[in-house]
Amino acid sequence: MTSSALVPSSPAAPDASAERCAEVSRSTAETHIRVRVNLDGSGQSRIATGIGFFDHMLEQIARHGLIDLDIECEGDLHIDGHHTVEDVGITLGQAFARAVGDKKGISRYGHAYVPLDEALSRVVIDFSGRPGLHLQIPFTAASIGGFDTQLTYEFFQGFANHGAVTLHIDNLKGINAHHQCETVFKAFARALRAALERDARAAGIIPSTKGAL
């Protein structure tokens, strides 16, 4: 009677084809929001916040980031757009944090420059686990189609805090406020896409010498 040694099986390699999806709902006395993201999508979006220009900017994140994005928000727009914009940023950040998981195998860093006619913006992002926003946009108008340009900061602050990312945003040139804002959101989308790309050379590895992010 012969015996055979048991050979320990190797751990399964991470499934690079697995979709990174998340759905988050958030309800307060001011807003009711549902967000669903697929970080490995094709840029499809369904957005309804009640603020037309804001919807247009969120669509840029989906299209240029190749992220499928579904956002529904009922907010207290009879007051103003502040709670809606800020809370969408918060909920979107939470969804991204959940979808990206332990960050194994991602590139982690991303940056992009995007022009639109006379406007040019740069966005740099780090999925660092450390929330931080540094934003400089010298808007030439106080509002765009009913969207208060000051709320751009509130959106990205909410996203950075709850997505646990470090985010640097600079509008480098621009005369038209619509162009300024659109280049920021498009550059944000492209930076997200770069940071979230899976790095084949680092599959299953957390991109940090600390071993955690």
Side-chain angles (χ1 to χ4, degrees):
M1 184 174 181
T2 60
S3 62
S4 58
L6 293 177
V7 179
S9 59
S10 301
D15 183 1
S17 66
E19 288 188 338
R20 296 171 292 177
C21 301
E23 183 168 339
V24 174
S25 295
R26 185 176 190 273
S27 291
T28 71
E30 299 165 342
T31 58
H32 301 282
I33 302 172
R34 184 184 67 84
V35 168
R36 186 182 188 279
V37 299
N38 177 0
L39 304 184
D40 302 302
S42 59
Q44 302 300 308
S45 63
R46 186 176 62 178
I47 314 289
T49 69
I51 304 173
F53 183 78
F54 185 42
D55 289 356
H56 181 49
M57 294 300 98
L58 294 171
E59 288 166 358
Q60 306 308 312
I61 297 174
R63 174 58 57 197
H64 297 283
L66 291 182
I67 296 162
D68 291 344
L69 193 54
D70 191 342
I71 299 176
E72 297 175 6
C73 177
E74 295 181 6
D76 53 1
L77 295 179
H78 61 286
I79 297 175
D80 67 7
H82 190 288
H83 299 141
T84 291
V85 174
E86 180 180 26
D87 288 4
V88 167
I90 289 170
T91 313
L92 188 61
Q94 292 172 341
F96 267 71
R98 186 175 298 179
V100 77
D102 61 13
K103 305 172 190 172
K104 287 181 179 178
I106 69 167
S107 294
R108 175 177 168 176
Y109 302 100
H111 73 275
Y113 288 81
V114 170
L116 175 56
D117 297 343
E118 88 297 343
L120 174 66
S121 292
R122 175 187 62 215
V123 174
V124 185
I125 191 168
D126 175 11
F127 276 81
S128 60
R130 297 184 302 278
L133 173 65
H134 305 272
L135 180 147
Q136 183 65 38
I137 310 174
F139 277 116
T140 59
S143 64
I144 310 166
F147 174 78
D148 181 351
T149 54
Q150 293 185 93
L151 298 183
T152 307
Y153 179 91
E154 303 304 329
F155 170 77
F156 286 113
Q157 182 74 83
F159 182 90
N161 283 346
H162 292 266
V165 301
T166 304
L167 189 56
H168 289 253
I169 298 173
D170 292 280
N171 172 240
L172 304 175
K173 297 179 181 179
I175 297 171
N176 182 286
H178 185 132
H179 294 170
Q180 289 177 291
C181 199
E182 188 164 335
T183 55
V184 163
F185 275 84
K186 286 179 175 177
F188 175 63
R190 295 292 296 193
L192 280 173
R193 179 176 169 183
L196 292 169
E197 284 289 333
R198 290 186 171 100
D199 185 343
R201 297 175 60 197
I205 299 172
I206 293 175
S208 171
T209 55
K210 297 190 296 291
L213 285 172

